[in-house]
Amino acid sequence: MKGARQKRNLALGAVAVTAGAGLGLGLWISGGDGNAADSFPDDAAAPSATPSPSRSYPMSRAPRTIPAVRSFAAARGPGWRPAHGERVVVGDASLADEGRLVAGELGLTYAGQQKDARAGDVRLERGGGSGGNPESYTMTVRDGRVTIAGPSDTGVFYGTRTLKQEVHGAGAAPEGVVQDAPAKPRRGFMLDMARKFYSADWIEDRIRELGDLKYNELGLHFSDDQGFRIQSDTHPEVVSQEHLTKAQVKQIVSLAAGRHITVVPEIDSPGHLGAVIAAHPDLQLRNAQGAPTEGAVDISKPQSAAIVDDLLKEYAGLFPGGFWHLGGDEYQALTVRDPEASYPQLAAAARRAYGSGGTVADLTTGWLNGRADTVRAHGRTPRAWNDGFFRGTSVQPAKDIEVAYWTGKELGARPPSDYLAEGRKVINYNDEYLYYVLGEPQTFVYPTGKRIYEQWTPRVIRGTDAVPARYDGRILGGSFAVWSDRAGAQTQDQVAAGIRMPLRATVQKLWDPGQPQLSWPEFKALAQKLG
């Protein structure tokens, strides 16, 4: 970790304390890699905090939250604790939803937009924050009141999560000033609800949990070989018996939006389409001997692209967020020694499309680009798994397709640095740390929060080694993922319990990839206290 600067403000009697340290020196914690997102401007690093006139109060201790706040300026004073009849007020009408939510959670009265100040108030305001980061916020506890300010509604919301956690864990918010912001803009949880059906209530419970932990993405992988789990009007024939209705999905999306979480849908293609193929067997890929290829559609047939595009367009109206996961992984035509010989129809289509040198990998890359065009037309940024990007192709994936890097075990595996050196944006789904695979098939074991907390950072994208620090700015963040390979291995409740500590450890390292101030036993005890 880079040497941090000590900050003192003796004139005001305030001492900046490192989050979680309890007393002492003021540090802006850096991830140690020179990334500007991991540090704060000089004028934000030592917030003014006027102490109580009474010296009978000890210097306050930093809030204990998950993720930990990144800076706290301590002061002498009683702090703030909720009391019956006290108000939550807002300085901007756009903060009404955040105000109502935290008022209900803390047992306060939501009083709307007000200009006056009363003892005990919690005031939410636009402005403040750090370094232009829209997810930053400042929380000031002074004179028996709390003010949470941020440059966006999202930053203010995260301030209310800090207040809620501190009140829940300690009964009160400490006197002083928190200034906080995440190091990484993408902090995600992905759920494979295709191979195992998860109820709407279970998903909504996870959204509430994720919101309190300051996650901002929920990925829903709802189509695979074993199931297609959301109602469809354009192709009802592909939908599994157990599925979510569109009304349920709208409720999920609405709840997520209220927690500042973007829902990122995924219809994986051209592999993992077994549920679609079950209703359209004519689209299944077959090799030169006529044997069917599991889960794969024949991308030489225009009808294959047509049905997938129908579904992408249909669900664009259901999922209004800015991102779309296209999958692109494990297309079985490219896992054989000689794809052109094994799948002559694909080879012929590649030559027609890209000339005499066209390959099956070129054709598959063209498929990915075509689906990216479809979602881009609806204002979405496309994303694909790293094994959907191939070496040595004459056709290149579109530059705006984000790389969801999960493994380095595929045929012709490319290290993360290859993508980063090309200037691509990468999201870390490292299967060594962040994959919770039901039933622990192959070499997978259930990840532990301890291992993530002590060993993983966003720069550890493949295996256990970190990529060079110079690439940190191209790593957008990371996502913890639940995969339902053996659907019956755990119940929904067991999954929720199993991912509880890994989720908390992951977001701590995405919010601040530096060495945590708390030991793992201390962090685990804090998580238990916060609930």
Side-chain angles (χ1 to χ4, degrees), residues 186-190 216-220 262-269 322-329 368 371-372 375-376 380-386 389 400-405 425-429 476 478-479:
R186 308 283 185 83
R187 303 175 302 281
F189 168 63
M190 195 226 75
N216 62 5
E217 278 194 5
L218 169 63
L220 294 180
T262 299
V263 180
V264 181
E266 180 188 358
I267 298 177
D268 201 348
S269 77
F323 308 105
W324 197 290
H325 203 316
L326 298 170
D329 63 314
L368 179 65
R371 309 296 72 73
V375 300
R376 197 183 295 111
R380 308 302 194 269
T381 297
R383 183 182 306 177
W385 299 110
N386 63 283
F389 297 74
D400 67 334
I401 302 176
E402 298 172 348
V403 180
Y405 198 102
K425 300 293 187 180
V426 173
I427 301 172
N428 187 334
Y429 290 76
L476 297 174
S479 183

Side-chain angles (χ1 to χ4, degrees), residues 223-228 237-240 272-280:
S223 169
D224 211 302
D225 295 344
Q226 294 80 1
F228 193 103
E237 73 280 1
V238 308
V239 179
S240 301
H272 294 282
L273 281 173
V276 172
I277 291 168
H280 296 272

Side-chain angles (χ1 to χ4, degrees), residues 405-408 414-418 420 426 428-433 451 454-469 471-472 475:
Y405 198 102
W406 72 283
T407 191
R414 300 172 64 195
S417 56
D418 275 15
L420 295 164
V426 173
N428 187 334
Y429 290 76
N430 188 337
D431 64 346
E432 179 74 23
Y433 291 94
R451 188 161 182 253
E454 294 181 343
Q455 299 179 20
W456 181 79
T457 75
R459 282 174 46 208
V460 180
I461 300 175
R462 169 180 170 177
T464 59
D465 296 326
V467 299
Y471 294 132
D472 188 74
I475 302 169

Side-chain angles (χ1 to χ4, degrees), residues 123-171:
R123 175 172 288 275
L124 310 183
E125 295 181 342
R126 295 292 293 270
S130 317
N133 187 330
E135 294 187 303
S136 65
Y137 68 92
T138 301
M139 185 176 82
T140 304
V141 179
R142 184 187 297 149
D143 299 330
R145 292 187 290 272
V146 179
T147 301
I148 297 172
S152 72
D153 296 1
T154 301
V156 173
F157 172 73
Y158 292 150
T160 69
R161 300 307 86 194
T162 294
L163 179 64
K164 177 186 176 183
Q165 283 196 32
E166 185 65 1
V167 168
H168 186 85

Side-chain angles (χ1 to χ4, degrees), residues 55-317:
R55 291 291 174 179
S56 63
Y57 292 107
M59 196 66 73
S60 60
R61 190 189 73 172
R64 292 291 182 98
T65 60
I66 297 175
V69 302
R70 299 184 70 196
S71 174
F72 177 67
R76 298 181 188 276
W80 177 91
R81 67 180 62 245
H84 180 71
E86 290 179 344
R87 308 183 306 173
V88 174
V89 298
V90 299
D92 190 296
S94 69
L95 298 171
D97 289 344
E98 289 72 26
R100 289 190 182 95
L101 178 62
V102 75
E105 292 168 332
L106 299 182
L108 306 177
T109 299
Y110 177 66
Q113 197 169 1
Q114 302 289 342
K115 293 183 178 179
D116 66 317
R118 296 182 188 175
D121 275 356
V122 174
R123 175 172 288 275
L124 310 183
E125 295 181 342
R126 295 292 293 270
S130 317
N133 187 330
E135 294 187 303
S136 65
Y137 68 92
T138 301
M139 185 176 82
T140 304
V141 179
R142 184 187 297 149
D143 299 330
R145 292 187 290 272
V146 179
T147 301
I148 297 172
S152 72
D153 296 1
T154 301
V156 173
F157 172 73
Y158 292 150
T160 69
R161 300 307 86 194
T162 294
L163 179 64
K164 177 186 176 183
Q165 283 196 32
E166 185 65 1
V167 168
H168 186 85
E175 196 87 4
V177 181
V178 168
Q179 285 196 312
D180 201 13
K184 292 299 179 183
R186 308 283 185 83
R187 303 175 302 281
F189 168 63
M190 195 226 75
L191 178 67
D192 170 13
M193 55 177 284
R195 284 178 270 200
K196 178 182 178 69
F197 177 73
Y198 292 83
S199 69
D201 287 345
W202 190 92
I203 295 170
E204 289 176 6
D205 284 344
R206 300 289 73 71
I207 288 170
R208 295 182 185 96
E209 179 181 15
L210 295 172
D212 282 354
L213 294 171
K214 304 185 177 89
Y215 277 88
N216 62 5
E217 278 194 5
L218 169 63
L220 294 180
H221 176 95
F222 66 90
S223 169
D224 211 302
D225 295 344
Q226 294 80 1
F228 193 103
R229 301 294 184 181
I230 295 178
Q231 173 189 347
S232 172
D233 300 319
T234 60
H235 290 283
E237 73 280 1
V238 308
V239 179
S240 301
Q241 184 175 359
E242 281 192 304
H243 66 272
L244 299 179
T245 67
K246 287 189 174 180
Q248 289 174 312
V249 174
K250 287 177 181 177
Q251 176 61 30
I252 287 168
V253 170
S254 176
L255 180 66
R259 266 66 176 180
H260 297 267
I261 294 170
T262 299
V263 180
V264 181
E266 180 188 358
I267 298 177
D268 201 348
S269 77
H272 294 282
L273 281 173
V276 172
I277 291 168
H280 296 272
D282 55 307
L283 299 182
Q284 185 159 31
L285 179 65
R286 294 180 179 274
N287 67 14
Q289 288 72 46
T293 303
E294 183 180 2
V297 294
D298 187 335
I299 59 175
S300 71
K301 295 182 175 181
Q303 302 94 315
S304 296
I307 192 170
V308 172
D309 283 347
D310 284 347
L311 294 166
L312 293 175
K313 292 171 185 176
E314 176 181 359
Y315 293 117

Side-chain angles (χ1 to χ4, degrees), residues 515-531:
Q515 183 66 34
Q517 293 294 315
L518 300 181
S519 67
W520 172 250
E522 290 170 331
F523 184 83
K524 189 175 180 180
L526 175 62
Q528 182 66 28
K529 186 176 183 180
L530 295 178

